[in-house]
Amino acid sequence: MKIAVSACLLGVPCRYDGRSKGDDELVALLAGHEVVRVCPEVMGGLSIPHPANEIQTAAPELRVVDSEGTDNTQAFLAGSRAATKKALDAACTCAILKAKSPSCGTGKIYDGSFTGTLVEGDGLAAGMMREKGLRVMDEHEAKFFLQNL
Ligand code: SF4
């Protein structure tokens, strides 16, 4: 199976804080599958490290803003489009994306207040991939999925 996977879950130190979220159990379960590595934030041109960003979920229009108040909406949109295109061009049928990220989060994201408050919603890349028909899941759901194929 061709699967788009968040680069940070594969051990790439591309997170906003310059670290990875490498998940050995997930990597082991991906053996035998064709993995397409994506990092929407790097693909959107954001440097690593950078301040944390959140989607302003209470704003009337889409805004992604960092903890210093810089509006990074365009970079997030560009990176999410690029990551979605890469997944589609590679004929991925599903995506395993890092939970809670403003790009990769699936189902729950931070609310934009930088208080650690989670709300229902997808990160931008996760939402775009879902709209394009990919099965999108976070690393926790993915382990159950891969173990039961
Ligand atoms: Fe990981 Fe996605 Fe953030 Fe890149 S954008 S560091 S892949 S969660």
Side-chain angles (χ1 to χ4, degrees):
M1 185 181 295
K2 291 185 178 178
I3 309 175
V5 182
S6 290
C8 58
L9 290 172
L10 300 171
V12 179
C14 53
R15 275 170 42 106
Y16 74 96
D17 57 4
R19 305 172 107 171
S20 78
K21 274 286 181 180
D23 187 322
D24 293 342
E25 185 185 358
L26 177 65
V27 170
L29 287 167
L30 286 167
H33 296 282
E34 190 173 328
V35 170
V36 176
R37 200 168 74 182
V38 295
C39 177
E41 293 176 23
V42 169
M43 295 170 90
L46 289 166
S47 58
I48 305 297
H50 59 251
N53 284 263
E54 295 189 4
I55 297 174
Q56 306 289 290
T57 57
E61 294 181 356
L62 174 65
R63 288 187 79 218
V64 187
V65 176
D66 73 22
S67 55
E68 297 174 357
T70 302
D71 188 329
N72 291 311
T73 308
Q74 293 310 314
F76 271 76
L77 281 171
S80 294
R81 287 186 186 119
T84 302
K85 182 176 187 311
K86 184 175 179 179
L88 291 173
D89 287 351
C92 294
T93 52
C94 61
I96 299 170
L97 301 176
K98 179 74 191 79
K100 301 177 193 168
S101 152
S103 297
C104 292
T106 63
K108 283 202 186 305
I109 53 171
Y110 292 109
D111 71 348
S113 65
F114 294 96
T115 59
T117 306
L118 289 167
V119 293
E120 288 189 11
D122 284 336
L124 294 188
M128 287 182 192
M129 291 187 200
R130 199 190 297 280
E131 271 183 24
K132 293 293 183 183
L134 273 75
R135 176 171 181 165
V136 176
M137 61 197 104
D138 69 18
E139 64 272 31
H140 310 294
E141 297 168 282
K143 288 175 190 171
F144 182 80
F145 172 72
L146 292 168
Q147 281 164 344
N148 290 283
L149 278 179

